[in-house]
Amino acid sequence: MPRELTDLPFARFLETREGIESEGAYDCAHFEGLSLDDPQVRGVVFTECAFTASTVTGGAFRYSRFNDVWLQSTRWIRSDLSETNWMDAEFVMAALSGVEAFGSTLRRVSFHNCKFDSVNLRGATLIDVSFVDCVLRDVDIMDAKLTGVSFPGSEVSGLMLRNAKLKNVDLREARSLGIASGVESLSGATVTNMQLLELAPVFAAAFGITVKDL
């Protein structure tokens, strides 16, 4: 179950901040109800911070670091999160649309009831990441490295994973699984018998197999 704000070990130390500067570091800051339009925030470090009911439209957080952060009801629209680093982070009811997060690193990150639409994670590194009860549409993880990633209760469609490297990736609890490209890169993933049958046409197409009844 996702945590509440009061469950955070650093909750009593949080101080409300009304905005985010273009450089520097934030420790125990609470960003609530922000509406950021085209922010240019690069290389900023957020440590033990909370983000609630905030919207980021466009802009860039490139090269920023998010360590032990908690985000609830946040929206990211066409934002640049490429080359960012996330460690011990938790997203709750977040929405990411058209987000560029290529080359980013996510370690021990959990997503609960989140929506991903056309998110670019190409070349990213995901270690011990869970997508719980999420919706992932047209997510690009080509050339990415996934280790210990799971999708319990999530709907996955249009997944692009050509040249991705998977290790201990568990897809068995995903509610649905749709692969748009790179099905041959599923090596290192675990699926159910039913999922394998559902993916059979995709495998056949990828390997040039013609399936035709007599």
Side-chain angles (χ1 to χ4, degrees), residues 15 20 27 32 58 61 70 89 95 103 116 127 146 183 191 203 211:
E15 296 182 1
I20 298 175
D27 191 358
E32 182 177 13
F61 282 75
W70 181 84
F116 297 76
I127 302 173
L146 282 67
V183 68
V191 299
F203 277 108
V211 180

Side-chain angles (χ1 to χ4, degrees), residues 68-139:
D68 202 358
V69 297
W70 181 84
L71 306 93
Q72 183 184 57
S73 301
T74 57
R75 298 177 64 204
W76 303 78
I77 304 169
R78 301 184 305 278
S79 301
D80 183 359
L81 297 176
S82 58
E83 306 290 346
T84 52
N85 189 296
W86 302 77
M87 181 178 293
D88 297 317
E90 183 176 11
F91 288 76
V92 182
M93 294 185 293
L96 297 88
S97 178
V99 169
E100 295 289 339
F102 57 86
S104 57
T105 299
L106 291 76
R107 184 187 296 268
R108 296 191 299 273
V109 177
S110 61
F111 297 91
H112 299 269
N113 297 289
C114 297
K115 293 183 179 180
F116 297 76
D117 188 3
S118 300
V119 174
N120 182 0
L121 284 164
R122 187 174 297 192
T125 299
L126 284 68
I127 302 173
D128 297 331
V129 175
S130 60
F131 298 90
V132 184
D133 298 326
C134 296
V135 175
L136 295 87
R137 297 192 183 99
D138 303 323
V139 174

Side-chain angles (χ1 to χ4, degrees), residues 31 38 142 214:
F31 304 97
D38 197 30
M142 291 192 288
L214 293 174

